[in-house]
Amino acid sequence: MTEDSVRETVIGWRRYLHQHPELSFHEERTARFIAETLASFGGLEITRPTPTSVVARLKGARPGPVLAMRADIDALPIEERNSHDFVSTNPGVMHACGHDGHTSMMLGAAKVLAGRKDDIAGEVRFVFQHAEELNPGGAEELVKAGVMDGVDMVIGAHLWLPMPYGQVGVRSGALMAAPDNFVITVSGAGGHAAIPHETVDSIAIAAQVITNLQHVVARNVDPLAPAVVSVTRIAGGTTYNVIPGQVELAGTVRTFDETLRAKIPELMKRIVAGITAAHGATFTFEYDRGYRPVHNDERATDLLRRAVTRALGSEVLVEATPTMGGEDFSAYQQKVPGSFFFIGARNEERGITNPHHHECFDIDERALDSGTRIFVAAAMLQGVGDQGSGPGGEG
Ligand SMILES: [Zn+2]
Ligand SMILES: [Zn+2]
């Protein structure tokens, strides 16, 4: 079984999954498809640690370390607007992040590796994870279920639209941010819009809160430390002549550094408290911590560099640009050394340029083959240490 021989099958799986997307924590059909497909390869120990996740273990012929590789399998609540012939058949749900591709390219790697058991040292553990897109995320659940027990190293990839097909981005250290969310309510006293002096205008005060929150990043955070505070939703008021009693603001905070991450909500709260007090209003402040930042381990990143080089040649390898996006892959990294990387899937000429979570999101499907090859190469290299050569040289 070679990578070449599974290439078209992997594309077929991706298209099937794309047609049947399921939301986070509801991936029943997807998980069944994955488990049945894995079972058809033979030689894998398949378990279902949670109702919609699947784990397969491939035990090599010789002893060695345990390498886990993770693919996320969930879709998003988006109505697809693509016109290709494998659009979503599940109304209002779409694989708009590329997780259909992650699933299929790792199935491809499992199929190839299942046929190379004799050449594998240690264990390869394929983790098909549910619910990456919805806090608290599936990764945390799988860690609690023991999926990382005994694992020496974990790797995972994202098909990546900011990067062209033909590039693979790898990086040691900070790669993706911690995505936290907040909700602020500003409560004043409603009344007639023509008699503002008898009200406490929650809209005008909320507007001050929004502009002043910009000072958190602009004036209170080291300019060399990445941070984002975005207000993304304002809700208040019903009509022209009524000043509403309350306005709700919601948004997101992104950071890499845990100290800064802890400090930002305090800075925000101080501003909200000061502005509302100054104008005679009150407030509530809710802050939900999301995933931890993705921070790549040096040794795991080195394995990835060697795997990419072996699978596709050193010319495709680039240093990944960190992003303020979040990923629950970080939950595994709390438990074992791991590295997350980006596989370029953009194609300007073919108009495959829409960002992740867009209603016309698509990928250059050639990137799936890259993913399969890198995962296979990583598994083959894992057991042979740093020597760089070993069995399965066609990887
Ligand atoms: Zn996503
Ligand atoms: Zn994603």
Side-chain angles (χ1 to χ4, degrees):
M1 185 59 60
T2 64
E3 293 88 333
D4 280 341
S5 68
V6 298
R7 187 170 48 221
E8 293 306 313
T9 312
V10 166
I11 291 174
W13 286 331
R14 183 254 163 170
R15 293 183 177 191
Y16 171 82
L17 291 165
H18 194 85
Q19 283 181 298
H20 302 100
E22 293 175 303
L23 292 174
S24 311
F25 297 104
H26 297 281
E27 307 92 337
E28 287 91 10
R29 181 178 178 152
T30 306
R32 208 180 323 124
F33 171 78
I34 293 166
E36 283 167 8
T37 306
L38 288 166
S40 74
F41 304 157
L44 298 168
E45 265 174 46
I46 300 160
T47 53
R48 302 286 301 272
T50 70
T52 59
S53 61
V54 186
V55 171
R57 294 172 186 222
L58 178 64
K59 301 250 170 78
R62 289 171 288 127
V66 180
L67 175 68
M69 39 187 79
R70 174 271 212 163
D72 43 9
I73 68 173
D74 56 328
L76 286 156
I78 295 172
E79 180 74 34
E80 180 158 17
R81 300 264 176 249
N82 275 317
S83 55
H84 49 56
D85 57 8
F86 52 94
V87 293
S88 170
T89 57
N90 188 1
V93 184
M94 176 188 175
H95 270 296
C97 201
H99 301 185
D100 48 348
H102 303 167
T103 305
S104 56
M105 67 196 192
M106 210 168 81
L107 282 172
K111 184 164 188 179
V112 173
L113 290 166
R116 290 192 196 160
K117 227 173 173 166
D118 292 344
D119 298 332
I120 291 171
E123 179 193 319
V124 186
R125 198 173 295 178
F126 306 94
V127 179
F128 293 89
Q129 180 213 309
H130 61 303
E132 190 283 323
E133 298 282 6
L134 191 63
N135 211 14
E140 188 80 47
E141 275 190 358
L142 292 187
V143 169
K144 284 194 185 120
V147 166
M148 286 295 124
D149 292 359
V151 171
D152 294 286
M153 209 175 257
V154 58
I155 56 173
H158 212 298
L159 292 161
W160 207 234
L161 259 289
M163 271 173 54
Y165 165 74
Q167 287 185 1
V168 176
V170 172
R171 179 189 168 88
S172 182
L175 184 70
M176 299 182 80
D180 298 335
N181 295 330
F182 62 85
V183 179
I184 297 165
T185 57
V186 174
S187 297
H192 202 296
I195 314 170
H197 59 288
E198 288 180 2
T199 74
V200 175
D201 185 348
S202 59
I203 294 230
I205 298 164
Q208 295 286 327
V209 168
I210 294 167
T211 36
N212 275 271
L213 283 177
Q214 303 309 313
H215 288 245
V216 171
V217 173
R219 301 290 84 164
N220 296 128
V221 170
D222 182 340
L224 296 176
V228 171
V229 175
S230 293
V231 176
T232 55
R233 194 167 63 85
I234 312 175
T238 50
T239 187
Y240 300 105
N241 55 359
V242 176
I243 288 173
Q246 197 174 70
V247 170
E248 191 174 279
L249 308 173
T252 188
V253 173
R254 306 293 169 108
T255 50
F256 286 112
D257 177 74
E258 283 289 350
T259 311
L260 180 58
R261 187 186 188 193
K263 189 176 148 196
I264 283 185
E266 296 311 314
L267 293 167
M268 292 175 68
K269 199 169 172 181
R270 193 173 76 191
I271 285 170
V272 179
I275 300 282
T276 50
H279 298 286
T282 58
F283 73 98
T284 61
F285 183 81
E286 279 171 49
Y287 196 87
D288 288 324
R289 286 166 68 89
Y291 307 148
R292 287 167 179 272
V294 171
H295 201 273
N296 287 338
D297 173 77
E298 180 68 55
R299 269 182 60 242
T301 307
D302 181 59
L303 173 70
L304 282 179
R305 284 203 181 94
R306 289 186 291 124
V308 173
T309 303
R310 177 179 170 133
L312 304 166
S314 58
E315 54 294 350
V316 306
L317 195 61
V318 298
E319 180 78 1
T321 306
T323 160
M324 298 312 274
E327 241 291 346
D328 78 343
F329 184 80
S330 55
Y332 304 117
Q333 294 176 311
Q334 298 300 309
K335 189 89 179 157
V336 292
S339 194
F340 194 71
F341 67 107
F342 298 142
I343 300 173
R346 184 184 191 85
N347 186 325
E348 294 279 348
E349 278 149 42
R350 290 176 45 207
I352 301 173
T353 56
N354 286 310
H356 293 267
H357 297 200
H358 189 279
E359 60 194 10
C360 293
F361 176 82
D362 198 6
I363 55 166
D364 185 327
E365 286 179 320
R366 290 177 297 171
L368 300 173
D369 179 57
S370 308
T372 299
R373 286 172 191 273
I374 294 165
F375 282 121
V376 169
M380 302 310 292
L381 284 166
Q382 160 77 352
V384 295
D386 292 320
Q387 288 79 28
S389 63
E394 73 274 30

